[in-house]
């Protein structure tokens, strides 16, 4: 994630890792750092910590290490000094060095600590987080005066920083019941704080929309997809919101709540005008749902922008076509 876009409230109950946390001793280079040194994969140095942290996150999260995936893991980092060839070589070399053994390893985290890709203290983080989260009182921070509700916050804090500093904000990020993606009675239900990455990697979504990965490449960069949420994207009520046309094409419904009662609104009725929705003060989007398509169907999303990647949309379209006899 981009640290500059993460509201401090959202880090409650989480383990935050910066470049310093990957090599606490500061003495010997870890394998990822060594690969960068060996390939001369650094220029002025400002971008380097982001590349190192992103590569480490890739090793922690990926199921099977493939070249394209490791390059994709770097897409939120940009070096303006020169080309990325040396950085790509460093990533490729470190992947080749460990991918065979790592794919065979039963305990990924133990393998990574044994090989000093991550420090040994990572082994205790899960238990420490469980202890913290079990002790923390979970409550929904909402009231009638809450004008804004935040989960990702990648756009709102950038658009209105001064206004947000003084606003009465309801934070939704740490409520696990708003993150669930499930299939029930022929419908898919997606919690509003599910990140774009959560949706794109969901087995349910991939089962019914196997081409969803093409959409992933068009929605920001990896750090943005890890932070941005479906609720935030839809409630932004902007025509450049990439998920709006996607879910409208699926005839989705928005479940709106004030923390006590709920109401369901078809997404195509949710928007009243530019940046104006049916949501009332004190209400937030709890989830969205849509009827899972059956039979022969084709679903597609298209985005037109000045640049193919990392750009806002000029035009967004979503379409689902049902056919007879698969014609």
């Amino acid at each position: 994630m981009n640290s500059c876009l993460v509201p401090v409230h959202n880090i409650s109950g989480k383990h935050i890792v910066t470049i310093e946390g990957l090599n606490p001793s500061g003495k010997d280079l870890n394998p990822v750092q060594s690969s960068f040194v060996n390939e001369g994969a650094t220029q002025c140095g400002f971008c380097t910590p982001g590349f190192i942290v992103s590569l480490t996150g890739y090793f922690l999260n990926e199921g099977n290490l493939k070249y394209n995936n490791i390059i994709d893991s770097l897409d939120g980092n940009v070096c303006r000094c020169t080309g990325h060839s040396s950085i790509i070589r460093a990533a490729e070399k470190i992947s080749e060095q460990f991918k065979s053994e790592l794919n065979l390893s039963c305990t990924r985290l133990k393998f990574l600590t044994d090989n000093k890709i991550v420090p040994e203290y990572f082994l205790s983080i899960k238990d420490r987080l469980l202890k913290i989260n079990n002790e923390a009182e979970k409550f929904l921070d909402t009231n009638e005066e809450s004008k804004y509700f935040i989960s990702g916050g990648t756009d709102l804090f950038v658009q209105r920083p001064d206004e947000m500093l003084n606003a009465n904000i309801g934070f939704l990020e740490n409520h696990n019941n708003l993150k669930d993606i499930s299939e029930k009675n022929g419908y898919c239900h997606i919690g509003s704080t599910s990140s774009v990455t959560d949706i794109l990697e969901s087995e349910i979504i991939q089962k019914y929309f196997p081409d969803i990965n093409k959409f992933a490449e068009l929605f920001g960069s990896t750090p943005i997809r890890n932070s941005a949420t479906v609720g935030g994207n839809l409630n932004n009520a902007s025509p450049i919101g990439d998920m709006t046309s996607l879910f409208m094409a699926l005839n989705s419904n928005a479940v709106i709540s004030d923390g006590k009662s709920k109401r369901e609104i078809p997404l195509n009725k949710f928007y009243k005008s530019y940046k104006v929705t049916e949501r009332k003060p004190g209400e937030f989007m709890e989830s969205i749902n849509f009827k899972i398509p059956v039979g022969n169907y084709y679903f597609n999303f298209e985005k037109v922008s000045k640049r193919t990647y990392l750009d806002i949309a000029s035009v967004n379209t979503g379409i689902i076509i049902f056919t007879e006899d698969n014609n």
Side-chain angles (χ1 to χ4, degrees), residues 51-69:
F51 283 112
I52 299 295
V53 173
S54 292
L55 277 174
T56 305
Y58 167 80
F59 279 108
L60 283 165
N61 294 318
E62 284 292 334
N64 294 301
L65 305 189
K66 299 177 182 178
Y67 172 73
N68 287 339
N69 289 342

Side-chain angles (χ1 to χ4, degrees), residues 155-170:
D155 190 53
L156 195 56
F157 280 104
V158 176
Q159 286 186 2
R160 308 173 184 177
D162 295 332
E163 182 179 350
M164 298 302 292
L165 284 174
N166 299 307
N168 192 344
I169 298 173

Side-chain angles (χ1 to χ4, degrees), residues 248-262:
M248 286 186 72
L250 293 172
N251 291 319
S252 302
N253 303 299
V255 178
I256 309 301
S257 172
D258 60 5
K260 298 176 183 177
S261 59
K262 303 177 185 179

